[in-house]
Structure formats: structure tokens, C-alpha cells
Amino acid sequence: AASDVYKRQFQHYTNCWKRYFGFSGRASRGEYWSIVLVNFIICCVLGVIDGASGASGSLYGLYSIAFFFPMLAAGFRRCHDTNHSGLWMFAPLFAGVILGAYAGIVVAASGGASSGAGILALALVFIFVAAYSFYLLVKKGDAGANEYGEPSV
């Protein structure tokens, strides 16, 4: 029934808090996306409360800081479920930093003019890396045991 689905989603979310720094093991697609859904709903509610109270994002900001590591750990476990390193969660960040640094250096060295071809190539790499990282989050996990353990229930 629908109430069982909601209970399971909230259970995944509360388990995420219990495994605050739990970067080992695996997280199924359902587990990971339940956490994302509940987190999204909570962020929306906190944003409305902040807006209505004039708190200018303080509740939302505090919650986001507090939930950073549990969400990151859930992402690591989700990557593990597809038999990939959790470091893939950082790949878009690294690609973006490299793209930004390259663009800044090129623009500074050229006196304000940019080298479009190099920046475009790096932008395409960034898009590919981000898309592949997202793919790992939506991909079906390994059915049996893998390098990171047994499938989560």
C-alpha cells in the first residue's frame, strides 16, 4: 500500500542519518532516491519557513550543512552498488575546477579574449563526466555481491 512506500522512504532517510559517515557498503537505487526525495521535500519546507519568517535561508543553510556528509556517504554507497568507486561523486567537481582554472588562465593570458576551442572541449568533458556520474546514480546495481559487499535490502 502507499503508506508502506512512504514508511520505507522515510526509513531510508533516517538510516542515512544513522550512517552519518558510513561510506562503506552499498545503497540500492530505491534507497538512494528515497533519501534524495525526502531531502528535497525537507529543503522545500525549510525554504518556505525561512521565507515566511524572514530568516533569509538560515534554517535551510544549517540543515544543508548538517546533511552534507550523510548525503555524500549515500552517494558513495550508491556508486558502490554499481561496483564503482564512490570517488565518482567528486568527478564533476574536479572537472569543473579544471575547466574554470583553464578558462581563467586562458582569458588572463589572452588579455580578455578567450580560446573558445579549448574551453569548449573542456566543457564537453565536464558534461560527459557529470552525465556519467549521474548515470551511476540511476543505473541498476549489481544483483549479487561485488567488491563493496552484498546488495542492500
Side-chain angles (χ1 to χ4, degrees), residues 99-120:
L99 173 61
Y102 176 79
I105 291 169
V106 166
V107 169
S110 65
S114 67
S115 170
I119 293 173
L120 178 62

Side-chain angles (χ1 to χ4, degrees), residues 4 6 10-11 40-41 63 69 118:
D4 291 338
Y6 299 136
F10 193 72
Q11 185 65 43
F40 176 75
I41 292 168
Y63 171 79
F69 283 111

Side-chain angles (χ1 to χ4, degrees), residues 25-27 80-83 140-152:
R26 295 170 59 176
H80 292 169
D81 195 44
T82 62
N83 207 25
K140 183 175 182 176
D142 293 350
N146 67 20
E147 178 182 347
Y148 299 98
E150 295 292 327
S152 63

Side-chain angles (χ1 to χ4, degrees), residues 48-131:
V48 168
I49 292 170
D50 277 345
S53 68
S56 67
S58 58
L59 287 176
Y60 171 80
L62 289 173
Y63 171 79
S64 296
I65 291 168
F67 200 61
F68 175 77
F69 283 111
M71 193 70 231
L72 182 63
F76 265 61
R77 294 191 306 271
R78 180 70 205 116
C79 288
H80 292 169
D81 195 44
T82 62
N83 207 25
H84 289 81
S85 169
L87 294 176
W88 272 101
M89 294 296 294
F90 293 117
L93 174 67
F94 293 142
V97 167
I98 290 169
L99 173 61
Y102 176 79
I105 291 169
V106 166
V107 169
S110 65
S114 67
S115 170
I119 293 173
L120 178 62
L122 280 174
L124 291 174
V125 168
F126 170 77
I127 291 168
F128 171 78
V129 168

